[in-house]
DNA sequence: CTAGGGTTAG
């Protein structure tokens, strides 16, 4: 028996071996419909039949043939039917059929043209014409034409026709105007299942799934019995809502005696269970299904792939092939995506080959998935080849290829492609802006964001997350406030990732208060959100508050990870909390089962070194379970310098030289850790460090924002338009600070030049240029905010201290380590810069 | 001759 009745007792599982009928319960749909045409299975048979129809002069059958051929929708069948149409005497009936054929084949525009032609030839549309034409309008979302048809319906007094009303509901819903559909529905004196179903489906497909489900139950209460179509709509609405409880309620209805289901309902159920977090239920239903069709396999596959369960997906694919079900484009789409996610090039290649051999490539989404797969498997050249071979490239194709270049850190190629794009969408902009941020090109990222604004494109949470990172890195507080405002004004959904990015942004701009406010406003906080808040405290050297936050996080039942400990230890170090830092370091393994990684050792060396415990630091280095890298030795070296221990400093410098050729990839590892925690600014910083290592040296660069404009200075760079003023100001600064007793610390210049030259080089350090420009460009009393990409040198540090005293200005410098608040000759870091 | 349905890339 084809139709299955679900057990009323077990509503949560469909216990009967579900063998859905092959044919849906209504048999009037699709080509094989009426008359002799029922037996036509392909064009050849239709042609033979046509010859017979012509010979016997059965004109009414020509209309049926027309509808049949049009519905096949191939170029050949359409050409054929056109000839048949033109060689026959036309009638209203024939026009109706042909319109219906085109609508059925999805050729709505043709259907609309035919309607116009029919009216022009003097035929009056009837109660068949309208549903057919409206269905075509719905397919191509031809809103204006549909509304005109509605007008004609009213004029002709056909408003009360049930079929027309139902078609109108469907049409309005498909055009995204479900409210109009609801109006038609409300006015109906008589409604049938299709009326209800059309409205339910309209809500379900147009982002009002909750309304769809409540309408379903309203319908049941009104005593109208839902059929398979209704159930499919209601179930897919639950899937959209990811609401298992509602899904269960519909399932309970379906489980009632007498209710029958078909394949489509079972497929919808499988999909719903998969999407509502009950994959086991879905799998059981799937396994119980004796005759699985292609869509059911595809449903399981695509859901597994979406949820990152590639292994389960592969098992389904294998079962499907073993049972002799031939994969189609949808199947291959999932298979290719799976190989992309697995980074499995050989499987990806096999899929690509299968697609080519079986002629499944002619679908944009398949080619795009292949491009994505090759870029993710590190074969950008192959991706480019597929891209070049595509006859119609969609925005997604371009976007995938650009994302591939970004992944390879090749922003130049990405940028070149971006500029060639015939049209862009939000994702294109997001990919490009994100790519620039990833490559530390923060100003370019913000500039591109401004271009995007001027083109009238509204950003989303992805855009703003990137912009927030760039903004935070540049320390551009005004822009940060603007971004915050932008989020509220445009009601951008602030998820955990964006929320975290905002906290980080304000923290890096030195506005701790707003950062913490934004943090407290976050509805949900995960470990990386807490990490960011703790990091904010570390940035300003507030170790005590950082520890409080960490304890609060533990109290709320969060499990700390390695990343949060980096921030906690850093905060202890910046706050000079040696004992607490030691405690947290040991508690990592003892209390939380996290083995300290090399970065944690780096933090500890920093912590001990800062406190002058140099031999303790050295002991810790020697006891490390892994080889110390140059970050560890670097921290130690800095400590030796601060505490003027030249012997140990030389030792550390030797070690660093030994490691010069180090390509151990610890940076990549660190970058990945940060990336997985969503800390994009840190990812960018690590990438910068990698560059620093790969090239000889990253030039020191400082930026300052004045009147919303970012001014960037690199040491010795004289390209700034105000350079004359700046040079004068530098002279004045040098003499006034010199008078105040500043003696340049020439050990900060690592070049073999004479002392005069060293002094000159120091005076050219980028932060001094930025401070000089800040003095010129702002009024007395305004704090000067400077952001530096590298760690400040000790000479600039003492210079800045004196500047704050002599000029009576608050100076804030954020280097790549922390904030330094210079006030009245003192610095918030207590001279451990 | 009538209307409504399940899987689909960045």
């Amino acid at each position: 028996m084809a139709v299955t009745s679900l057990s009323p007792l077990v509503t949560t599982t469909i216990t009967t071996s579900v063998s859905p009928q092959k044919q849906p319960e209504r048999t009037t749909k699709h080509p094989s419909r009426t008359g002799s045409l029922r037996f036509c299975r392909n064009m050849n048979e239709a042609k033979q039949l046509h010859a017979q129809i012509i010979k016997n002069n059965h004109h009414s059958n020509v209309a049926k043939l027309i509808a049949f051929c049009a519905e096949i929708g191939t170029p050949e069948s359409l050409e054929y039917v056109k000839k048949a149409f033109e060689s026959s005497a036309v009638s209203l009936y024939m026009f109706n059929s042909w319109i219906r054929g085109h609508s059925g084949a999805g050729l709505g525009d043709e259907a609309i043209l035919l309607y116009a032609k029919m009216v022009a030839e003097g035929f009056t549309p009837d109660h068949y014409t309208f549903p057919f034409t409206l269905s075509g309008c719905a397919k191509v979302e031809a809103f204006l034409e549909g509304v005109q048809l509605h007008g004609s319906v009213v004029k002709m007094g056909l408003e009360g026709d049930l079929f027309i009303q139902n078609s109108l509901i469907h049409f309005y819903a498909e055009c995204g105007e479900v409210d109009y559909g609801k109006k038609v529905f409300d006015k109906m004196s008589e409604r049938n299942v299709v009326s209800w179903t059309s409205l339910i489906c309209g809500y379900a497909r147009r982002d009002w799934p909750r309304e769809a489900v409540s309408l379903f139950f309203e319908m049941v209460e009104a005593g109208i019995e839902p059929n398979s179509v209704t159930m499919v709509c209601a179930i897919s609405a639950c899937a959209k809502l990811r609401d298992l409880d509602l899904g269960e309620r519909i399932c309970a209805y379906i489980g009632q005696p007498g209710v029958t289901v078909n394949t489509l309902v079972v497929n919808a159920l499988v999909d719903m269970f998969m999407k509502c977090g009950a994959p086991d239920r879905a799998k059981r239903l799937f396994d119980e299904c004796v005759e699985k069709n292609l869509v059911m396999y595809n449903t399981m596959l695509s859901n597994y792939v979406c949820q990152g369960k590639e292994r389960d997906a592969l098992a389904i694919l294998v079962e499907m092939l073993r049972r002799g079900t031939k994969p189609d484009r949808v199947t291959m789409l999932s298979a290719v995506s799976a190989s992309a996610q697995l980074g499995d090039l050989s499987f990806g290649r096999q899929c690509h080959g299968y697609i080519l051999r079986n002629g499944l490539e002619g679908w944009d989404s398949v080619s795009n998935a292949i491009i994505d797969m090759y870029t993710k498997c590190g074969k950008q050249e192959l991706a480019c080849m597929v891209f070049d071979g595509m006859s119609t490239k969609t925005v997604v194709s371009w976007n995938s290829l650009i994302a591939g270049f970004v992944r390879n850190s090749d922003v130049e190629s990405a940028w070149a492609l971006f500029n060639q794009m015939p049209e862009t969408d939000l994702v294109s902009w997001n990919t490009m802006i994100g790519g620039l941020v990833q490559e530390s090109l923060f100003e370019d990222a913000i500039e591109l964001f401004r271009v995007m604004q001027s083109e009238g494109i509204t950003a989303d949470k992805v855009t703003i997350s990137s912009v927030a990172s760039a903004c935070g890195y540049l320390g551009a507080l005004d822009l940060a406030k603007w971004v915050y405002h932008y989020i509220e004004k445009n009601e951008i959904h602030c998820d955990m990732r964006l929320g975290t990015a905002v906290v980080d942004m304000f923290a890096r701009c030195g506005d701790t208060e707003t950062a913490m406010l934004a943090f407290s406003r976050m509805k949900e906080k995960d470990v990386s959100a807490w990490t960011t808040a703790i990091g904010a405290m570390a940035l300003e050297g507030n170790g005590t508050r950082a520890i409080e936050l960490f304890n609060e996080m533990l109290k709320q039942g969060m499990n700390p990870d390695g990343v949060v400990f980096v921030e906690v230890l850093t905060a202890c170090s910046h706050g000079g909390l040696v004992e607490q830092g030691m405690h947290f370091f040991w508690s990592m393994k003892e209390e939380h089962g996290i083995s300290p990684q090399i970065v944690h050792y780096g933090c500890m060396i920093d912590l001990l070194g800062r406190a002058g415990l140099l031999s303790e630091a050295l002991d810790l280095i020697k006891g490390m379970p892994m080889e110390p890298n140059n970050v560890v030795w670097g921290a130690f070296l800095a400590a030796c310098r601060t505490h003027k221990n030249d012997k140990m400093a030389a030792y550390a410098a030797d070690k660093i030289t030994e490691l010069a050729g180090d390509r151990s990839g610890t940076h990549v590892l660190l970058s990945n850790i940060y990336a997985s925690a969503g800390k994009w600014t840190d990812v960018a910083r690590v990438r910068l460090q990698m560059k620093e290592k790969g090239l000889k040296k990253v030039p020191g660069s400082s930026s300052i924002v004045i009147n919303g404009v970012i001014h960037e200075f690199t040491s010795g760079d004289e390209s700034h338009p105000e350079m004359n003023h700046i040079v004068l100001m530098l002279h004045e600064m040098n003499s006034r600070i010199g008078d105040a007793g500043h003696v340049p610390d020439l050990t900060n210049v690592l070049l073999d030049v004479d002392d005069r030259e060293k002094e000159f080089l120091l005076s050219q350090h980028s932060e001094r240029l930025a401070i000089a420009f800040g003095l010129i460009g702002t009024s007395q009393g305004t704090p000067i905010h400077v952001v530096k990409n590298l760690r400040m040198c000790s000479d600039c540090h003492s210079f800045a201290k004196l500047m704050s005293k002599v000029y009576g200005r608050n100076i804030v410098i954020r280097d790549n380590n922390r904030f330094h608040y210079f006030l009245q000759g003192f610095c918030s870091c207590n001279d451990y810069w």
Side-chain angles (χ1 to χ4, degrees):
Chain A
M1 170 171 158
V3 178
T4 310
S5 164
L6 301 178
S7 159
L9 296 173
V10 192
T11 51
T12 46
T13 35
I14 296 180
T15 46
T16 19
S17 145
V18 181
S19 155
Q21 58 192 94
K22 273 187 194 156
Q23 298 266 330
E25 65 259 43
R26 50 192 281 286
T27 47
T28 49
K29 177 87 182 172
H30 208 61
S32 42
R33 170 179 311 111
T34 41
S36 340
L37 280 165
R38 174 181 312 153
F39 305 106
C40 289
R41 285 186 306 270
N42 56 41
M43 270 309 292
N44 279 342
E45 288 180 31
K47 276 182 193 169
Q48 279 172 18
L49 194 71
H50 184 213
Q52 225 176 335
I53 290 167
I54 301 284
K55 212 166 78 188
N56 299 333
N57 207 16
H58 284 163
H59 265 260
S60 72
N61 278 335
V62 176
K64 288 174 192 163
L65 183 73
I66 284 167
F68 169 68
C69 292
E71 224 170 67
I72 292 178
T74 61
E76 188 209 6
S77 73
L78 288 173
E79 187 53 34
Y80 184 79
V81 75
K82 200 178 165 200
K83 277 188 193 139
F85 187 79
E86 278 162 359
S87 64
S88 310
V90 282
S91 62
L92 177 62
Y93 182 16
M94 269 166 64
F95 264 116
N96 281 348
S97 302
W98 210 17
I99 291 173
R100 172 178 157 207
H102 280 95
S103 293
L107 304 164
D109 291 323
E110 311 288 323
I112 293 166
L113 285 174
L114 270 170
Y115 174 88
K117 190 173 174 201
M118 172 185 144
V119 175
E121 288 188 17
F123 291 99
T124 309
D126 64 0
H127 59 291
Y128 291 117
T129 320
F130 288 111
F132 296 154
T133 318
L134 281 167
S135 152
C137 291
K139 289 248 162 68
V140 293
E141 295 187 26
F143 183 66
L144 295 177
E145 284 85 350
V147 172
Q148 280 179 329
L149 284 171
H150 192 175
S152 307
V153 166
V154 175
K155 224 180 278 170
M156 294 175 64
L158 291 170
E159 243 183 321
D161 184 279
L162 182 63
F163 282 90
I164 295 178
Q165 288 166 322
N166 288 346
S167 309
L168 281 169
I169 294 173
H170 173 67
F171 156 73
Y172 281 124
E174 285 294 293
C175 290
E177 303 286 349
V178 200
D179 290 348
Y180 288 115
K182 181 73 165 57
K183 273 187 193 146
V184 175
F185 182 84
D186 287 339
K187 271 200 272 184
M188 288 169 80
S189 54
E190 183 201 344
R191 302 178 188 117
N192 66 5
V193 205
V194 180
S195 325
W196 286 89
T197 308
S198 299
L199 195 59
I200 289 172
C201 176
Y203 280 125
R205 302 231 307 206
R206 288 285 166 174
D207 287 338
W208 281 292
R210 207 159 281 285
E211 278 78 357
V213 180
S214 64
L215 206 59
F216 175 84
F217 288 113
E218 215 176 290
M219 169 182 179
V220 173
E221 265 171 44
I224 312 284
E225 211 170 277
N227 62 17
S228 299
V229 186
T230 327
M231 289 187 265
V232 165
C233 292
I235 295 164
S236 68
C238 297
K240 244 190 177 168
L241 283 167
R242 309 281 130 112
D243 189 330
L244 188 58
D245 290 340
L246 275 185
E248 299 282 15
R249 280 182 62 194
I250 306 228
C251 218
Y253 174 82
I254 294 173
Q256 285 175 355
V259 177
T260 58
V261 293
N262 63 12
T263 325
L264 278 81
V265 175
V266 180
N267 283 334
L269 279 172
V270 169
D271 186 51
M272 185 271 290
F273 282 129
M274 286 299 279
K275 291 204 161 73
C276 293
D280 296 346
R281 295 278 308 277
K283 185 66 167 39
R284 219 155 58 215
L285 202 53
F286 172 83
D287 287 337
E288 281 165 7
C289 225
V290 189
E291 283 178 52
K292 301 180 185 65
N293 69 5
L294 181 60
V295 177
M296 188 172 291
Y297 285 114
N298 287 345
T299 305
M300 289 298 286
L301 262 177
S302 67
N303 276 297
Y304 274 143
V305 174
C306 270
Q307 293 169 19
K309 296 175 179 170
E310 294 86 6
R311 295 286 152 208
D312 292 317
L314 288 185
I316 300 284
L317 186 64
V318 168
E319 184 190 333
M320 167 178 179
L321 292 170
R322 223 174 24 218
R323 296 248 215 142
T325 307
K326 220 169 159 32
D328 70 348
R329 293 168 220 262
V330 181
T331 320
M332 293 320 290
L333 198 54
S334 295
V336 172
S337 302
S339 46
Q341 281 170 32
L342 290 165
D344 186 338
L345 181 62
S346 98
F347 178 49
R349 277 206 160 119
Q350 278 184 49
C351 291
H352 190 184
Y354 185 91
I355 288 165
L356 293 178
R357 284 193 303 277
N358 292 279
L360 298 174
E361 72 272 32
W363 230 26
D364 291 341
S365 51
V366 172
S367 306
N368 293 338
I370 292 172
I371 291 175
D372 183 51
M373 181 273 292
Y374 280 131
T375 74
K376 285 196 177 134
C377 292
K379 291 281 170 194
Q380 188 71 10
E381 329 85 62
L382 290 176
C384 290
M385 265 172 62
V386 176
F387 179 82
D388 289 337
M390 283 175 78
S391 50
T392 51
K393 302 171 175 73
T394 65
V395 190
V396 182
S397 332
W398 289 84
N399 289 345
S400 305
L401 203 63
I402 291 177
F405 280 119
V406 166
R407 216 171 281 127
N408 289 330
S409 287
D410 184 357
V411 266
E412 282 80 12
S413 303
W415 178 242
L417 268 178
F418 180 76
N419 283 313
Q420 283 171 40
M421 286 178 80
E423 52 164 342
T424 54
D425 68 1
L426 190 55
V427 180
S428 328
W429 291 86
N430 287 349
T431 309
M432 206 54 237
I433 292 174
L436 291 169
V437 170
Q438 179 191 287
E439 296 305 311
S440 311
L441 301 165
F442 304 108
E443 289 175 81
D444 294 322
I446 285 174
E447 185 51 37
L448 191 59
F449 173 65
R450 288 195 166 128
V451 175
M452 180 179 164
Q453 291 300 112
S454 69
E455 298 205 357
I457 302 160
T458 306
D460 69 352
K461 57 183 182 186
V462 181
T463 331
I464 297 297
S465 298
S466 295
V467 172
S469 292
C471 200
Y473 189 86
L474 293 168
L477 184 58
D478 289 341
L479 189 58
K481 285 177 179 163
W482 184 88
V483 166
Y484 203 36
H485 181 67
Y486 187 93
I487 294 170
E488 287 183 348
K489 196 180 75 188
N490 293 287
E491 289 173 352
I492 292 172
H493 174 62
C494 200
D495 61 359
M496 211 135 56
R497 203 157 139 176
L498 179 54
T500 305
V502 167
V503 174
D504 195 53
M505 170 178 76
F506 278 114
R508 283 174 197 276
C509 289
D511 187 345
T512 318
E513 213 171 299
T514 312
M516 294 320 278
L517 186 73
F519 179 66
S520 66
R521 278 190 192 162
M522 285 178 71
K523 287 187 198 82
E524 271 185 297
K525 297 168 183 130
D526 63 356
V527 180
S528 80
W530 283 95
T531 304
T532 306
I534 293 168
M537 295 300 122
L539 266 178
E540 39 159 47
N542 190 344
T544 317
R545 185 76 188 105
I547 291 172
E548 278 171 21
L549 278 169
F550 181 67
N551 288 331
E552 212 173 308
M553 175 187 128
L554 294 182
K555 218 165 81 188
Q556 294 201 5
M558 292 278 164
N559 278 327
D561 59 8
V563 187
V564 74
F565 273 108
V566 174
E567 298 300 348
V568 171
L569 296 177
T570 307
C572 289
S573 171
H574 290 173
L577 307 174
V578 181
E579 269 177 43
Q580 288 93 323
M582 297 279 278
H583 160 73
F584 285 120
F585 183 68
W586 297 121
S587 80
M588 275 181 75
K589 188 146 179 81
E590 302 302 319
E591 287 176 32
H592 304 285
I594 302 167
S595 302
Q597 288 172 284
I598 199 153
V599 273
H600 301 111
Y601 280 95
C603 294
M604 287 308 289
I605 304 308
D606 208 49
L607 176 86
L608 296 169
R610 179 201 146 85
L613 302 169
L614 294 181
S615 55
E616 283 84 347
L618 195 57
D619 284 346
L620 189 63
I621 293 179
K622 286 181 174 159
M624 278 170 64
M626 66 286 281
E627 274 304 305
N629 61 8
N630 58 1
V631 176
V632 171
W633 284 117
F636 184 64
L637 176 63
C640 295
R641 282 223 181 116
T642 309
H643 295 282
K644 310 264 183 254
N645 188 327
D646 292 342
K647 213 175 135 197
M648 281 203 182
Y651 178 70
D654 280 351
K655 288 291 179 186
I656 291 175
T657 319
E658 273 174 37
L659 288 168
D662 170 39
R663 295 246 175 263
S664 59
T666 46
H667 283 88
V668 180
L669 205 68
L670 188 63
S671 161
N672 290 344
I673 291 172
Y674 281 132
S676 65
K679 305 203 71 189
W680 301 110
T681 318
D682 288 310
V683 172
R685 201 194 67 223
V686 174
R687 291 230 177 200
L688 200 72
Q689 285 172 359
M690 284 162 74
K691 266 192 189 163
E692 190 177 351
K693 231 171 118 182
L695 306 168
K696 266 170 261 154
K697 202 181 171 196
V698 172
S701 130
S702 297
S703 57
I704 183 165
V705 184
I706 294 190
N707 296 328
V709 182
I710 300 159
H711 299 265
E712 194 187 1
F713 298 92
T714 47
S715 52
D717 176 23
E718 298 187 353
S719 62
H720 196 277
E722 299 280 329
M723 207 55 207
N724 289 338
H725 286 96
I726 295 171
V727 170
L728 282 175
M729 182 54 85
L730 276 177
H731 272 294
E732 189 205 306
M733 279 160 54
N734 280 338
S735 72
R736 283 182 71 177
I737 298 303
D739 291 346
H742 178 69
V743 181
D745 179 0
L746 302 180
T747 57
N748 280 297
V749 180
L750 302 169
L751 288 172
D752 189 21
V753 289
D754 66 41
D755 285 358
R756 257 186 89 81
E757 180 69 11
K758 278 186 180 174
E759 209 176 318
F760 173 72
L761 286 171
L762 281 176
S763 75
Q764 293 284 302
H765 274 181
S766 63
E767 53 269 54
R768 300 203 194 180
L769 301 182
I771 293 173
F773 187 65
L775 283 174
I776 297 167
T778 61
S779 53
Q780 181 62 273
T782 316
I784 294 172
H785 281 263
V786 173
V787 173
K788 175 156 191 183
N789 66 335
L790 306 173
R791 198 160 170 178
M792 295 184 76
C793 77
S794 67
D795 189 60
C796 285
H797 192 263
S798 40
F799 191 87
K801 279 199 295 186
L802 279 169
M803 282 292 299
S804 70
K805 190 176 172 188
V806 173
Y807 282 81
R809 281 271 196 138
N810 291 2
I811 298 175
V812 183
I813 299 184
R814 194 195 81 203
D815 65 6
N816 70 348
N817 197 30
R818 57 166 296 161
F819 273 100
H820 299 266
Y821 294 94
F822 298 97
L823 182 65
Q824 290 301 321
F826 293 96
C827 179
S828 61
C829 78
N830 290 325
D831 291 349
Y832 190 82
W833 68 97

